[in-house]
Amino acid sequence: MIVVTGAAGFIASCLVTRLNAANFNDIVVVDNFNVERKLANLKGKHLREYVDREEFFEWLDTHHEQVEFIFHLGARTDTTEQNRDVLNVLNLEYSQKMWQACCRYQLPLVYASSAATYGSGTLGYADDDALLPLLKPLNPYGDSKNDFDNWAVQQPEKPFFWAGLKFFNVYGPNEYHKNRMASVILHAFRQIQETGSMTLFRSHNPEYADGEQQRDFVYVKDVVEVCLFLMQTRRDSGIYNLGTGEARTFLDLTLGTFAALNRTADIRFRDTPEDIRDTYQYFTQADMSKLRRIGYDRPFTSLEAGIDDYVRNYLVPGHYY
């Protein structure tokens, strides 16, 4: 059996689809299944069992001998969450319990970290363990992810294989439920369909023109390929960046969405909301050399190709992956 936590969410549900495509159908999905709008992400998939996240560790105590691999992708993913108690429970303490259970039962583990751990990027974007205690995330969400990364590498007891993945700006199908936290592509698609235009955040940093803020946008189908690679190789444990290695602007992203819809671009700007303005990342770009060094050699999907696939094959027809 393969366990996937956060399974009704965006990245994890896409991973389940990719596992099914590779003929892994004995999958146990773990989540809070009371969130109705997320359940469509799992519809039609080959699954063995649904386990509520609050009951998972008790379930694992009973079934651990049947489990082959755990993907721990469940977390509180709202980067605007200010309640540190919520983040500590879901992102730090739950992950610590998962780590300890994997050590106890000798189960391999891949877990979700985040590029939010890099903060403003003053120390660069290298996935080097020596930098972990020096990183200064810009929000409590990033703190919670960095706290676990630091805790994990300091543990004297580790799973026989483990990997933490610092996801950069992931976009793609199955994010319909994410509301404000959805990718700008989904927001652009909806705005263009409704109004014919797209409004981006204005830059409040003199080093960047409006719309020229840059992020490392990575297609979710590439993310799940990396997950599959790690499950199959199970060597070279550590923390890895997961982006493309190429920063692109929000203008690039928005123009690509207009192009995929065969619409004339009409881009406008508004002030960045005050609750995120001071913690806004103006540039991210993953250093991907560490993942490449351990043998991952698949090319990453270009932003244009990823947007075109996402918009034409999922957003326009309303399909899931």
Side-chain angles (χ1 to χ4, degrees), residues 25 60-61 103 114 145 154 174 181 209-210:
N25 298 319
L60 186 63
D61 289 339
C103 290
S114 171
K145 290 295 189 177
Q154 294 170 17
N174 297 14
M181 290 297 108
D210 291 344

Side-chain angles (χ1 to χ4, degrees), residues 76-84 87 91 114-120 136-147 181 215 275-276 278-281:
R76 175 67 168 166
T77 59
D78 186 346
T79 59
T80 66
E81 176 65 72
Q82 297 300 310
N83 188 330
R84 290 180 182 268
L87 292 165
N91 292 3
S114 171
T117 58
Y118 289 115
S120 62
K136 298 187 186 312
L138 297 174
N139 54 40
Y141 166 78
D143 284 334
S144 70
K145 290 295 189 177
N146 196 48
D147 286 347
M181 290 297 108
R215 299 285 178 84
D275 66 330
I276 63 172
D278 292 339
T279 60
Y280 188 84
Q281 288 177 304

Side-chain angles (χ1 to χ4, degrees), residues 45-108:
K45 292 175 170 52
H46 298 288
L47 307 171
R48 176 185 177 116
E49 191 173 350
Y50 288 73
V51 178
D52 186 272
R53 72 183 183 204
E54 297 298 328
E55 300 169 359
F56 172 69
F57 293 109
E58 183 178 347
W59 178 94
L60 186 63
D61 289 339
T62 303
H63 297 89
H64 62 89
E65 291 183 354
Q66 299 166 272
V67 175
E68 179 185 351
F69 204 96
I70 294 180
F71 289 100
H72 177 39
L73 305 183
R76 175 67 168 166
T77 59
D78 186 346
T79 59
T80 66
E81 176 65 72
Q82 297 300 310
N83 188 330
R84 290 180 182 268
D85 290 337
V86 169
L87 292 165
N88 281 337
V89 168
L90 296 179
N91 292 3
L92 179 59
E93 294 170 12
Y94 197 96
S95 296
Q96 289 172 336
K97 289 180 68 175
M98 185 69 73
W99 178 280
Q100 291 160 348
C102 287
C103 290
R104 184 162 60 251
Y105 298 127
Q106 281 302 290
L107 296 172

Side-chain angles (χ1 to χ4, degrees), residues 22-41:
N23 294 318
F24 294 100
N25 298 319
D26 204 10
I27 299 175
V28 175
V29 291
V30 181
D31 211 322
N32 171 11
F33 297 107
N34 295 323
V35 184
E36 188 72 28
R37 67 183 185 277
K38 294 168 60 177
L39 298 183
N41 283 341

